[in-house]
Amino acid sequence: MSHSTIKYITSIIVNKHLASALYKSISKGLTTPYVKLLNENSVKDVFTDSLNLAIRDIQNHPRGHLFKRLIEYGPLNPDEKDSSAYKANTILSDKECISAVNFIFSFIINRFKGELAELLAIEPCIKLVENLKEQGSVTKVAFLCFGDYIHEYQKKKGKIIEPDSAGSLAKGADGLIVKKPNGKNKINVEGVIEIKSMYVSPKKLMTQISKHISRLQWGLVLGNKKYSPDELNINEKNILRIMIIPSSWQVNRKFEWGEIDGVRSMIFPEPDFLQEETIIEEVETNTWKIKFHWSHESLEQAAYEMTFWYMSQVGKSVYNNQTLPKNWEGMSAQEAGYNSIKEKLYYILLRPLTKRQGRRAIKLYNVYSFGYPLGIDSKEMLWPEDINKLGK
């Protein structure tokens, strides 16, 4: 096991146990001959590619520019009332602030969380497929494909759009079990996998799997190989449907007061280790459910950390020694990125928001200021004096 790779992953998700689990799952995928991933070089490369794909989607999103503007400019300072002195596309309007917060909350965090779930799902999927091969439910020569190795054709205004064409999202199922008959340029699809980072009802998961099966009628791309509808063989009645969801245990909320370098500080326990075993069960004929041992909250906590890390990377492109705000002298560009989002969220909370609009901004501010365990549950903005009353 590569300690340097686990250390690298931990530096981004801030949970060494989860980092070890990701390493183990990815490594299993790389060393299993019948598994196909987009990148097959190393565990670090697979994780980094997954991270970069999420970042690319964030940057290319229609609201991606708001995120950078939020870090660099934010809303008006509470002491200011007139934004006319600022250039266009700098200071965010109240409406843009709300849009930026919703983007972080509903897209960025969920995007990172989804990537973690897909990487963790590799290992239990291999275990299930190995068992199914032994039982004869999956052919011995079938391949197990994951993530961005898979692309689907899509329709727009009644016309089929090929993957990577302008306007095509092209992301396929989270996983596929496929077989390529000898000597034929055809693919038999034996199973479809849907992976979630939060609880989703089996009915909804089955609906999503059915949609992927329907879209396969337009064609499929595996790696760099395209398969037309005539080159796909799909027996919808016998196709395996595999649903994957996380566990439901909660992250530890406790902390203690202590001293770090002579300063009174909050000391949290080590990030949670797994508390449940992975459960693999057949819920109906040809329908399987996997509940892996990592919980929705443990993945969400790591996703918040990934988002915070990403803010530091945005800070590197926004700030340097010449552009650091007054009183931020001595901060690195990364530290300025961290500090900026907390400051900007605080300013947003001083703007006129509805109760509903404020909830998400409050949650983001609390988590980024005081950590996930304390910030995730509070419905009110936390202050240092609130924290002083907590802990041992």
Side-chain angles (χ1 to χ4, degrees), residues 117-162:
E118 290 188 20
L119 294 175
L120 287 170
I122 296 171
E123 186 178 23
C125 280
I126 292 172
K127 183 177 180 180
L128 172 59
V129 169
E130 286 177 348
N131 290 339
L132 293 174
K133 285 188 174 188
E134 289 298 320
Q135 297 169 14
S137 300
V138 170
T139 53
K140 293 284 188 181
V141 293
F143 285 89
L144 181 55
C145 308
F146 284 104
D148 279 81
Y149 186 82
I150 307 162
H151 290 86
E152 295 172 0
Y153 291 78
Q154 297 192 15
K155 275 190 175 180
K156 188 175 182 181
K157 295 182 179 179
K159 295 182 179 179
I160 295 174
I161 303 174
E162 292 190 8

Side-chain angles (χ1 to χ4, degrees), residues 294-344:
W294 291 97
S295 71
H296 162 244
E297 280 203 354
S298 63
L299 297 181
E300 185 172 71
Q301 182 180 27
Y304 269 94
E305 295 293 350
M306 293 172 80
T307 308
F308 209 28
W309 167 86
Y310 178 53
M311 290 168 183
S312 75
Q313 303 308 297
V314 174
K316 288 165 73 173
S317 68
V318 169
Y319 298 112
N320 55 48
N321 290 335
Q322 285 72 46
T323 60
L324 280 173
K326 190 177 180 181
N327 301 324
W328 289 16
E329 294 87 352
M331 286 187 185
S332 67
Q334 295 97 313
E335 290 170 334
Y338 286 136
N339 198 58
S340 179
I341 189 61
K342 290 187 283 189
E343 178 188 71
K344 303 307 190 295

Side-chain angles (χ1 to χ4, degrees), residues 220-270:
L220 176 67
V221 177
L222 296 176
N224 57 8
K225 175 63 178 174
K226 295 182 180 181
Y227 295 92
S228 68
D230 293 338
E231 294 170 329
L232 291 175
N233 182 25
I234 304 166
N235 186 334
E236 188 169 347
K237 182 179 178 182
N238 295 327
I239 198 166
L240 291 168
R241 292 163 167 83
I242 301 169
M243 308 175 285
I244 305 178
I245 59 172
S247 297
S248 57
W249 53 267
Q250 290 190 326
V251 167
N252 191 347
R253 264 66 167 165
K254 296 180 180 179
F255 75 96
E256 295 181 355
W257 287 105
E259 285 195 3
I260 299 178
D261 297 329
V263 179
R264 186 172 183 255
S265 304
M266 299 161 60
I267 301 175
F268 290 94
E270 283 285 326

